[in-house]
């Protein structure tokens, strides 16, 4: 049995696709969803999927009660606190998957899960990566630069934004008339068709 922790900040379409992909597989389990955004639709998805939700924030205690009532939050942690990686360790997590998660991963977590944290980025890194390049901002920049292609990059996570070793890339052709929304739609299809399968392959190699 391989155990996944999925980190989210936004809509959670990747979370949904990963959960659906592995649902029929008794050898893979998503043991928790970790969110840093109390308004993320991904939190609702976690609840609907029946996966325990862990909230991260810097004032965990003060917001505990509010979050508990909203989403059945199972735990809250300060992201910078070692207690958080200890908790993930106690869940026997094999692989941490950042699926639209926007905070920089702290050193204690990198140390606790060496080469076991991966991220998906909606562009062909090293292009359009780094701080500030996330979600729609990436697609807007791609269109502004009249790129003929974009794509996805799945990579290991290190202490810097979008710069760890690349595991997988896939490109898609863009047309001159594509808007940022059109690019987003194309990238979404690439994510759906590739991210769960790449995770599956990686899990088999662990
Ligand atoms: C995805 O397109 C993902 O590649 C991107 O955020 C989106 C999250 O969508 N990630 C980044 O930009 C990371 N820098 P989702 O919440 O619907 O899965």
């Amino acid at each position: 049995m391989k155990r996944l922790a999925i980190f989210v900040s936004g809509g959670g379409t990747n979370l949904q696709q990963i959960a659906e992909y592995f649902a029929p597989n008794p050898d893979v389990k998503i043991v928790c969803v970790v969110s840093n955004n109390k308004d993320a639709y991904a939190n609702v998805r976690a609840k609907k999927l029946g996966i325990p939700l862990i909230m991260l924030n810097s004032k965990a205690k003060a917001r505990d009660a509010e979050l508990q009532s909203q989403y059945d939050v199972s735990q809250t942690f300060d992201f910078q606190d070692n207690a958080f990686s200890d908790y993930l360790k106690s869940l026997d997590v094999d692989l941490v998957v950042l699926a639209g998660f926007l905070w920089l991963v702290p050193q204690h977590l990198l140390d606790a899960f060496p080469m076991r944290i991966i991220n998906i980025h909606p562009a062909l890194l090293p292009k359009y990566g780094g701080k500030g390049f996330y979600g729609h901002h990436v697609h807007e920049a791609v269109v502004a630069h009249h790129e003929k292609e974009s794509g996805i990059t799945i990579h290991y996570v290190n202490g810097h934004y979008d710069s760890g070793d690349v595991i997988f890339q896939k490109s898609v052709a863009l047309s001159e008339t594509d808007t940022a929304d059109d690019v987003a739609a194309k990238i979404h299809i690439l994510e759906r068709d590739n991210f769960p399968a790449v995770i599956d392959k990686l899990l088999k190699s662990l």
Side-chain angles (χ1 to χ4, degrees):
M1 161 77 76
K2 292 290 193 317
R3 297 162 69 85
L4 292 173
I6 315 271
F7 286 31
V8 296
S9 300
T13 56
N14 281 281
L15 162 67
Q16 186 78 38
Q17 288 151 13
I18 295 163
E20 286 172 10
Y21 178 97
F22 287 111
N25 183 343
D27 297 327
V28 177
K29 183 177 164 98
I30 302 173
V31 294
C32 61
V33 170
V34 177
S35 170
N36 70 330
N37 176 4
K38 76 177 178 62
D39 298 319
Y41 188 67
N43 304 351
V44 178
R45 292 185 193 272
K47 188 173 180 177
K48 287 186 178 166
L49 288 161
I51 306 169
L53 177 64
I54 296 171
M55 287 302 305
L56 297 175
N57 59 60
S58 47
K59 299 186 189 81
K61 293 244 159 39
R63 294 168 72 181
D64 235 14
E66 179 198 347
L67 292 168
Q68 287 278 4
S69 58
Q70 214 176 341
Y71 297 119
D72 294 335
V73 172
S74 60
Q75 295 272 347
T76 53
F77 285 98
D78 185 327
F79 198 30
Q80 304 305 324
D81 191 338
N82 288 355
F84 175 56
S85 40
D86 292 346
Y87 181 73
L88 288 186
K89 279 284 178 194
S90 78
L91 294 178
D92 284 331
V93 167
D94 293 291
L95 189 67
V96 172
V97 175
L98 311 190
F101 182 75
L102 301 182
W103 279 359
L104 196 61
V105 172
Q107 193 60 43
H108 70 83
L109 200 58
L110 295 169
D111 291 342
F113 295 94
M115 298 299 277
R116 297 287 180 111
I117 309 177
I118 66 169
N119 178 47
I120 187 159
H121 187 76
L124 295 170
L125 292 174
K127 282 182 149 187
Y128 305 105
K131 193 168 167 56
F133 278 118
Y134 61 89
H136 224 259
H137 299 290
V138 174
H139 309 313
E140 279 159 19
V142 164
V143 168
H145 286 85
H146 306 285
E147 294 286 354
K148 293 192 165 37
E149 62 170 15
S150 190
I152 58 170
T153 304
I154 298 166
H155 63 92
Y156 288 105
V157 170
N158 61 18
H160 309 276
Y161 282 110
D162 304 324
S163 60
D165 290 349
V166 171
I167 300 164
F168 176 90
Q169 285 189 307
K170 185 109 178 175
S171 62
V172 63
L174 304 180
S175 78
E176 280 175 25
T177 57
D178 277 347
T179 63
D181 281 346
D182 296 329
V183 178
K186 288 180 175 180
I187 295 300
H188 182 69
I189 291 168
L190 284 187
E191 294 184 331
R192 183 198 64 199
D193 290 349
N194 294 281
F195 197 23
V198 169
I199 294 168
D200 196 7
K201 197 171 162 196
L202 206 57
L203 288 176
K204 287 185 173 120
S205 74
L206 294 181

